[in-house]
Amino acid sequence: MRLTSLDKVKEFLGLTDTSQDSLLGTLLDGVSDAIETDCRRAIALGTYSEKLDILEDYTEDFMVANYPVRSVVALTDNGTLMVDVTNYYWETQGYFHRYPEDYYWTTGLRKVEITYTAGYATIPDDIQLLAQKLVAQVYNSLGTGGFESERIGDYSYRVLTDMILSDAFLNSVLKRYRKVW
């Protein structure tokens, strides 16, 4: 899902016509995917299904791939439908805990299945700005092959720009949303 709107990208770039909409849409899709891939989780609100491996006996909790968790559609443990609050509880950060104490998730591959909604209904402003900035960087570098050049008198040089790794804003935003476990 796109992490900002095409209209916001066009406003950021100062474009008012529709001649570049298709290209900008493609760039926006790619940038949105790249941000979510780097963060190792989905940012946009969606419904997700996972089959989890519980590899250790006496496991009381697990974590899902995407957060913040908004709701649980269904959760089964070894084929048994679990009831929220009666059999488990969860935290918005994506942690699921077996309830009451001394109850455990079934050990084995793909024994726990969950369908849940997670992500941001409204994409945070810093993520939207980051997506706009990255689309603009890629759009503005088209035709240059990512190269920048400079001339001082008779001397000139040209370097390949590293848009991603050199941008402190990008790294500071991604760090806040990047899944680290």
Side-chain angles (χ1 to χ4, degrees), residues 44-176:
L45 184 65
T47 300
Y48 307 96
S49 293
E50 298 179 37
K51 293 182 179 182
L52 302 162
D53 299 337
I54 305 297
L55 301 177
E56 296 181 21
D57 292 334
Y58 310 110
T59 298
E60 294 178 341
D61 45 46
F62 65 83
M63 177 174 247
V64 293
N66 301 296
Y67 59 91
V69 174
R70 302 297 182 188
S71 67
V72 177
V73 177
L75 174 60
T76 60
D77 183 4
N78 203 27
T80 302
L81 183 64
M82 307 300 285
V83 180
D84 190 10
V85 183
T86 303
N87 301 119
Y88 71 94
Y89 65 97
W90 54 275
E91 302 174 38
T92 58
Q93 299 89 348
Y95 293 100
F96 284 76
H97 307 278
R98 196 68 160 91
Y99 184 83
E101 288 187 30
D102 298 328
Y103 279 71
Y104 308 103
W105 300 105
T106 301
T107 304
L109 301 178
R110 305 170 72 86
K111 297 283 186 176
V112 175
E113 297 183 41
I114 184 168
T115 301
Y116 62 101
T117 59
Y120 296 95
T122 302
I123 304 298
D125 291 340
D126 56 349
I127 289 284
Q128 288 194 53
L129 180 59
L130 176 62
Q132 294 161 26
K133 185 174 182 177
L134 288 174
V135 169
Q137 285 180 335
V138 174
Y139 178 79
N140 289 329
S141 72
L142 292 176
T144 66
F147 285 90
E148 290 182 359
S149 63
E150 181 175 84
R151 177 177 297 275
I152 302 171
D154 291 336
Y155 176 76
S156 69
Y157 69 97
R158 194 171 175 189
V159 295
L160 180 63
T161 61
D162 186 349
M163 295 182 299
I164 302 301
L165 297 178
S166 65
D167 192 313
F169 173 72
L170 178 143
N171 288 318
S172 70
V173 171
L174 289 178
K175 184 177 181 179
R176 285 193 295 274

